[in-house]
């Protein structure tokens, strides 16, 4: 029922690591009940519920550029525009099973889907 | 952005109760797949309810 296990995305800004390398292309998998429940026990989420987003994203993002590990520290280092973008990708992926947007042509009113992650462009 | 936790617990309990799937397996389903099985079990219930009310 799901189209594929992981979905590509392209961060609007990107994560710059300690060596100055920019990482923008990534992949996100669909989340599970365990992904949502496990972070609730984390003391960082208990003291600041907004931290749930950081933990959740670090669990479901499987690749980001050439980074070997994705962890909450990486998510903390993302520009807020990227966090907002990833929040939107997460919501669409888990609500619809894909990250495409359903839009309508303003002239002919025909509906179609557009890809929001132009992976490969820079 | 997260799934409402009460609803999540309800769905996990519902599937575990009716299908006897192990907790870890139910917890590892994607939201879409979990919702799919919840809907399937509910549909079975509806059919059984209709059949039993017709039999009365």
């Amino acid at each position: 029922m799901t189209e594929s296990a992981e979905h590509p995305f392209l961060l609007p800004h990107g994560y710059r690591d300690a060596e100055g390398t920019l990482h923008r292309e990534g992949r996100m998998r669909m989340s599970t009940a365990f992904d949502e429940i496990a972070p609730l026990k984390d003391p960082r989420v208990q003291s600041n519920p907004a931290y749930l987003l950081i933990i959740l994203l670090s669990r479901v993002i499987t690749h980001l550029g050439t980074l070997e590990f994705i962890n909450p520290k990486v998510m903390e280092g993302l520009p807020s525009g990227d966090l907002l973008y990833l929040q939107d990708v997460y919501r669409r992926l888990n609500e619809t099973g894909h990250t495409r947007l359903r839009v309508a042509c303003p002239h002919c009113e025909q509906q179609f889907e557009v890809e929001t992650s132009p992976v490969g462009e820079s | 952005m997260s799934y409402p936790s009460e609803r999540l617990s309800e769905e996990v309990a519902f599937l575990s109760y009716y299908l006897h799937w192990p907790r870890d397996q139910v917890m590892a389903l994607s939201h879409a797949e979990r919702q799919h099985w919840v809907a399937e079990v509910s549909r079975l219930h509806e059919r059984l309810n209709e059949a039993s009310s017709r039999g009365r």
Side-chain angles (χ1 to χ4, degrees):
Chain A
M1 86 173 43
T2 53
E3 292 184 12
S4 75
E6 291 182 349
H7 296 259
F9 61 78
L10 182 67
L11 293 178
H13 307 286
Y15 173 77
R16 199 172 288 281
D17 65 23
E19 281 76 44
T21 309
L22 192 65
H23 305 269
R24 289 182 68 199
E25 283 183 30
R27 297 184 78 81
M28 187 188 288
R29 66 166 173 79
M30 296 180 87
S31 85
T32 68
F34 196 66
D35 289 323
E36 303 257 0
I37 287 170
L40 300 178
K41 293 176 192 155
D42 192 301
R44 292 168 295 186
V45 175
Q46 285 170 351
S47 63
N48 178 11
Y51 205 77
L52 175 64
L53 169 69
I54 299 288
I55 306 255
L56 253 182
L57 289 176
S58 70
R59 292 179 67 97
V60 297
I61 293 174
T62 55
H63 297 92
L64 182 58
T66 53
L67 290 175
E68 197 175 348
F69 300 108
I70 316 284
N71 53 33
K73 197 86 194 145
V74 171
M75 294 299 115
E76 284 174 17
L78 285 173
S80 52
D82 283 349
L83 275 181
L84 282 173
Y85 168 79
L86 287 171
Q87 199 171 344
D88 190 44
V89 170
Y90 179 96
R91 191 180 48 74
R92 260 184 287 127
L93 178 57
N94 288 292
E95 280 177 7
T96 65
H98 58 77
T99 55
R100 296 187 298 275
L101 269 183
R102 184 140 192 90
V103 294
C105 169
H107 303 291
C108 68
E109 292 179 4
Q110 191 184 345
Q111 294 205 342
F112 59 98
E113 288 181 335
V114 289
E115 211 42 81
T116 56
S117 306
V119 173
E121 284 180 22
S122 56
Chain B
M1 95 172 189
S2 68
Y3 206 89
S5 57
E6 258 180 46
R7 173 81 192 162
L8 199 55
S9 302
E10 257 178 27
E11 289 179 7
V12 171
F14 184 84
L15 288 187
S16 307
Y17 182 77
Y18 287 105
L19 301 178
H20 308 285
W21 289 349
R23 173 188 180 273
D24 286 357
Q25 212 168 305
V26 176
M27 293 282 279
L29 295 173
S30 71
H31 297 318
E33 192 171 0
R34 196 182 57 253
Q35 287 163 359
H36 167 77
W37 289 116
V38 165
E40 284 298 323
V41 174
S42 300
R43 232 191 315 272
L44 271 176
H45 278 183
E46 276 168 29
R47 259 185 262 152
L48 287 171
N49 283 342
E50 279 168 24
S52 71
S53 60
R54 272 199 304 270
R56 270 180 214 148

